[in-house]
Amino acid sequence: MINQNKYGIIIQARLSSSRLPGKVLRGIAGKPMLQRQIERLKNNLTIPVIVATSCENSDDKIANLCNQIGIECYRGPLDNVVLRFLNCAKKYKFTHIIRVGGDDPLIDPFCCSELIDLNEIGNYDFLYASHDFGWPYGCAAELIAVNTLEKILNSTQDSFDLEHTIPFILNNPNYFNIYKVTGPKNYQNQNLSLSVDYLQDFLLIERIYKELLVEEKFFSMQDIINLFSNKPELRDINRGLHNGFER
């Protein structure tokens, strides 16, 4: 039986995004985007969900939202995200975290479950499902061992690596036990960009929720893929803004 107590989902969120400031609190179908994301995660998962934001005054609104909806909020360094994750994980006694970007309101909770199941078999340093043969961009997560976060902090002072976390791991494959998770066949090679980096991305997410959200009921990854099959013109909304997967 899986010891779920050692796992926790940590949503990385801030309001000072350079490309679309304040995006995580923009409203989607009457609720902040971050709240929509949390609701998707809680639909199928019983492990803790923590929002990890910064100590900057600009992120007080994120902490206030978490308090309003009953979600734990951890506050740490703005730019050293690795340290923010590590201290958050230690506070809640996690041995592994599932990292989710705060700009991924269409996160698939079943991807998170798959990462946990695979890690129970292999005990990896890092598992990721965001690639052409995994889940569509913006719907996947990564699982990171807390020991891996400590290794990063002990190995680099590069500001880029400390802010973005994942590149250092992927750039040092001989130093970490990495597993590239394959998604269901019908999720692969969809060429979808469903993370919110630009205004056009947000407009696309708004449209998806308008099409699929009925009476606050959960809609699945397959529902999203079917929507794009039935309405391929939706791809035009943010076409050309993303280069796709590199790893």
Side-chain angles (χ1 to χ4, degrees):
M1 182 176 179
I2 294 174
N3 178 14
Q4 292 198 341
N5 291 332
K6 66 183 182 180
Y7 294 100
I9 295 173
I10 299 182
I11 301 175
Q12 174 186 340
R14 64 172 185 167
L15 288 175
S16 54
S17 168
S18 58
R19 286 176 290 198
L20 190 60
K23 60 185 177 182
V24 300
L25 295 185
R26 281 178 173 251
I28 297 177
K31 295 181 181 179
M33 188 170 85
L34 180 59
Q35 184 176 352
R36 288 290 181 196
Q37 181 179 39
I38 292 168
E39 289 174 350
R40 285 188 66 79
L41 289 167
K42 284 188 163 292
N43 180 265
N44 186 57
L45 299 169
T46 58
I47 63 175
V49 176
I50 315 294
V51 172
T53 191
S54 83
C55 292
E56 301 293 311
N57 293 337
S58 59
D59 288 323
D60 287 350
K61 291 181 180 179
I62 291 177
N64 291 339
L65 173 66
C66 292
N67 183 59
Q68 291 169 14
I69 62 177
I71 291 293
E72 292 284 328
C73 182
Y74 177 83
R75 306 189 70 168
L78 175 65
D79 296 322
N80 191 339
V81 177
V82 175
L83 183 58
R84 194 195 312 171
F85 284 156
L86 178 60
N87 288 342
C88 178
K90 287 183 174 180
K91 176 180 178 179
Y92 293 99
K93 297 181 171 57
F94 302 143
T95 61
H96 299 75
I97 68 167
I98 298 173
R99 176 204 167 273
V100 175
D103 46 12
D104 294 341
L106 294 178
I107 185 71
D108 185 6
F110 295 95
C111 177
C112 300
S113 297
E114 179 70 3
L115 296 177
I116 292 173
D117 291 343
L118 290 169
N119 190 64
E120 286 295 304
I121 298 171
N123 193 28
Y124 297 98
D125 293 323
F126 178 68
L127 299 93
Y128 69 108
S130 190
H131 53 85
D132 283 336
F133 294 96
W135 270 252
Y137 179 62
C139 302
E142 301 93 25
L143 190 148
I144 312 173
V146 171
N147 289 342
T148 299
L149 298 172
E150 292 176 329
K151 287 179 182 178
I152 298 172
L153 283 175
N154 291 332
S155 301
T156 181
Q157 292 299 313
D158 185 278
S159 59
F160 178 86
D161 290 331
L162 295 177
E163 179 178 357
H164 297 282
T165 310
I166 308 304
F168 183 85
I169 300 172
L170 294 178
N171 288 333
N172 293 275
N174 296 326
Y175 192 38
F176 299 103
N177 185 15
I178 299 173
Y179 191 92
K180 187 175 182 178
V181 179
T182 301
K185 192 71 175 178
N186 51 332
Y187 293 6
Q188 298 176 15
N189 290 305
Q190 290 292 326
N191 194 29
L192 293 173
S193 294
L194 301 175
S195 187
V196 178
D197 292 318
Y198 303 97
L199 178 59
Q200 292 92 328
D201 298 325
F202 181 80
L203 296 175
L204 175 59
I205 300 299
E206 271 192 319
R207 178 69 181 277
I208 292 169
Y209 269 84
K210 182 178 179 180
E211 295 279 353
L212 296 180
L213 186 66
V214 179
E215 295 180 352
E216 294 294 329
K217 294 180 180 178
F218 178 82
F219 55 89
S220 70
M221 186 74 252
Q222 189 59 56
D223 291 330
I224 297 169
I225 291 172
N226 291 343
L227 175 64
F228 279 90
S229 296
N230 295 330
K231 297 188 176 184
E233 67 274 12
L234 292 178
R235 294 176 180 268
D236 294 333
I237 296 176
N238 68 345
R239 188 184 300 276
L241 293 176
H242 303 274
N243 295 322
F245 298 114
E246 298 180 356
R247 308 267 184 174

